[in-house]
Amino acid sequence: MNKDRAEMGTNVSVLSNENVESIKKKKRKSAFSWYLFLLPSFVGILLFMVYPILESFRLSFFQSNGTIENFIGLKNFQLVLTSKTFWNTVWNTFFIAFFQIVITIPLGFIFASMINSVRRGQNFFKVVYFLPNVTSIVAAAMIFQFVLHPEMGVANYALDAIGLPTSSWFSDPSSSKWGVILLAVWHWIGFVIIICLANLQAISPEMYEAARIDGATRIQQWLFITIPNMSGTFAFLLITGWIGGLQRFNEVYVLGGPNGSPARSIQTMGAFIYERGFTGFEFGIASAATYIMFIIILIFTFINLKVSKMNL
């Protein structure tokens, strides 16, 4: 009898081991199926992201026109870093990004506060203000070329009608940057409003109720409750605004071409890279400029994270 029990125990253990192996095989097959579905995405990432990054890094050490290559070491980086044109594009990029952020974030927060205080029609205002953000920046830039035309533009017509001085906008180097800033503010403000509204509506109403009981006015509530609770949102908008602003290319290309006309006044770092790579066929210099721009964005983002005390 003991022998029969031992045999039964052995059979049970064998069956349990077989079941475990069967389950493991099913899991492996299931995992393989998932990896099979993910394979096109992995191939796309390798072909269109990883390979171009590595190839661009390799080209930065070569003098290349796409067919003939000569190894020149760090000379491309030296040429870019000693180029007055490149540092002019750095100035243009930071100038436009700085004023876009300084104008848009406070203005978007004020509009969001006004929308949040309205009882009816909030969804309507959200849609109206967010429409520019979903509009193609290329199409918006083409429209702004007509709106800010120095002679036939609607903007100058409106300024003249109310007795204010008109501007040359994109035909004058001294005012062209402000035309780009105006376009950038118009296009980005909807995003800022939506993000600010999300945070405003997440603030506990009990805090405002307690402040009202203590006799705080609406302005005091806004200054001492609303603004401190928005610090995380402001930090997020500041960092994303700088990253997007330093990568600016599409609108300045449409408005001023790859050389940022007039007189390279709106040429950004991205436009400089495009001009050298796809207009001058200097792929080594363009690749070196790309990595320099990446380092500038990385350093500036790190500084913003430290200043805003925002954790990754």
Side-chain angles (χ1 to χ4, degrees):
M1 189 169 180
N2 290 333
K3 186 178 178 181
D4 292 338
R5 287 180 179 178
E7 287 179 357
M8 286 177 63
T10 304
N11 292 333
V12 169
S13 63
V14 170
L15 288 172
S16 63
N17 288 334
E18 288 178 355
N19 289 334
V20 169
E21 289 296 325
S22 175
I23 292 169
K24 285 183 178 179
K25 284 181 181 179
K26 287 181 179 179
K27 285 184 176 180
R28 280 196 291 267
K29 286 181 180 179
S30 177
F32 178 76
S33 300
W34 281 111
Y35 284 121
L36 195 63
F37 281 111
L38 291 171
L39 185 61
S41 297
F42 286 141
V43 172
I45 290 169
L46 288 172
L47 289 177
F48 300 109
M49 292 184 69
V50 177
Y51 171 72
I53 290 170
L54 297 175
E55 179 65 11
S56 177
F57 183 72
R58 186 191 70 83
L59 281 174
S60 65
F61 299 101
F62 287 82
Q63 183 182 30
S64 172
N65 62 1
T67 54
I68 302 170
E69 294 182 354
N70 295 312
F71 181 78
I72 56 174
L74 297 173
K75 193 173 180 181
N76 284 327
F77 292 92
Q78 182 184 358
L79 288 170
V80 173
L81 291 172
T82 55
S83 169
K84 290 183 179 179
T85 303
F86 175 75
W87 288 111
N88 177 62
T89 64
V90 173
W91 163 252
N92 292 340
T93 305
F94 273 88
F95 185 93
I96 295 169
F98 174 78
F99 282 101
Q100 173 194 351
I101 291 167
V102 166
I103 294 170
T104 311
I105 293 179
L107 197 62
F109 173 56
I110 292 169
F111 285 161
S113 299
M114 293 170 66
I115 294 170
N116 193 48
S117 65
V118 175
R119 292 185 179 180
R120 295 182 180 179
Q122 280 194 13
N123 291 332
F124 170 76
F125 288 114
K126 287 178 186 178
V127 171
V128 169
Y129 280 109
F130 195 68
L131 275 175
N133 191 255
V134 297
T135 304
S136 167
I137 190 63
V138 174
M142 294 178 69
I143 292 170
F144 263 70
Q145 278 186 316
F146 293 102
V147 172
L148 300 179
H149 192 279
E151 296 177 0
M152 300 179 291
V154 176
N156 276 353
Y157 177 80
L159 289 172
D160 186 61
I162 59 177
L164 293 175
T166 58
S167 174
S168 300
W169 298 115
F170 298 119
S171 61
D172 188 349
S174 63
S175 59
S176 56
K177 290 186 187 66
W178 290 104
V180 179
I181 292 167
L182 188 63
L183 169 60
V185 169
W186 176 83
H187 192 261
W188 193 46
I189 195 167
F191 176 79
V192 174
I193 290 171
I194 294 298
I195 296 297
C196 287
L197 264 173
N199 197 354
L200 285 169
Q201 293 173 356
I203 300 172
S204 174
E206 295 174 359
M207 297 176 69
Y208 293 103
E209 186 177 348
R212 281 195 298 270
I213 293 171
D214 289 338
T217 63
R218 290 203 173 195
I219 295 175
Q220 288 174 327
Q221 292 173 35
W222 192 66
L223 289 173
F224 297 106
I225 296 177
T226 306
I227 293 178
N229 279 281
M230 293 290 294
S231 58
T233 298
F234 292 149
F236 168 76
L237 291 171
L238 183 68
I239 291 165
T240 54
W242 273 115
I243 293 172
L246 295 180
Q247 294 177 323
R248 178 168 280 107
F249 169 73
N250 293 333
E251 58 266 50
V252 295
Y253 179 80
V254 174
L255 294 169
N259 61 352
S261 297
R264 297 187 181 273
S265 60
I266 60 172
Q267 188 182 36
T268 59
M269 290 186 285
F272 174 86
I273 292 167
Y274 181 89
E275 181 190 21
R276 289 304 183 102
F278 297 99
T279 304
F281 297 101
E282 298 172 308
F283 295 110
I285 292 176
S287 298
T290 301
Y291 276 90
I292 291 170
M293 184 176 77
F294 168 73
I295 292 169
I296 291 172
I297 293 173
L298 187 66
I299 293 171
F300 206 73
T301 302
F302 179 77
I303 293 170
N304 280 328
L305 286 170
K306 288 295 181 184
V307 170
S308 62
K309 297 179 181 179
M310 186 177 180
N311 296 322
L312 288 173

